[in-house]
Amino acid sequence: MSSSFIGSKIAIVTKSQYRYVGTIIGIDSQASSILLGNVKCFGTENRIGNFSNNQVVGSLVPIMQFANSDIEDLKIVEEEKTGE
């Protein structure tokens, strides 16, 4: 993933089956990780997960770092279009 994706909104599903949506604020190729800002956790959403931590579901976290090895799926999220 190149630095041209910085500022893009993405959805990540981790190996523990939790989904997070946030904005890419950094990519660390040496640490093989992605840094997201304004991250919202959606929980497992009925996926079978490895652990249960319902305290973070629905919460907004200012910054989170995800190791590439912990990411199962990653997608660019299209911004909602507003009628002009």
Side-chain angles (χ1 to χ4, degrees):
M1 182 175 285
S2 74
S3 61
S4 65
F5 288 104
I6 291 179
S8 298
K9 190 172 184 180
I10 64 168
I12 289 176
V13 175
T14 62
K15 299 225 173 165
S16 60
Q17 299 303 307
Y18 271 51
R19 181 170 68 101
Y20 298 88
V21 175
T23 303
I24 299 174
I25 58 174
I27 299 170
D28 187 340
S29 57
Q30 289 183 336
S32 294
S33 65
I34 298 173
L35 191 63
L36 297 185
N38 296 321
V39 184
K40 185 168 184 182
C41 175
F42 291 88
T44 60
E45 300 171 312
N46 297 321
R47 290 179 293 274
I48 297 173
N50 294 335
F51 69 96
S52 178
N53 185 358
N54 291 327
Q55 292 177 338
V56 297
V57 174
S59 63
L60 192 63
V61 179
I63 297 174
M64 288 184 80
Q65 185 170 6
F66 296 88
N68 291 354
S69 61
D70 290 335
I71 297 171
E72 184 170 295
D73 189 30
L74 183 149
K75 294 179 183 169
I76 301 291
V77 176
E78 293 293 323
E79 294 293 330
E80 292 182 18
K81 306 247 187 291
T82 58
E84 294 180 25

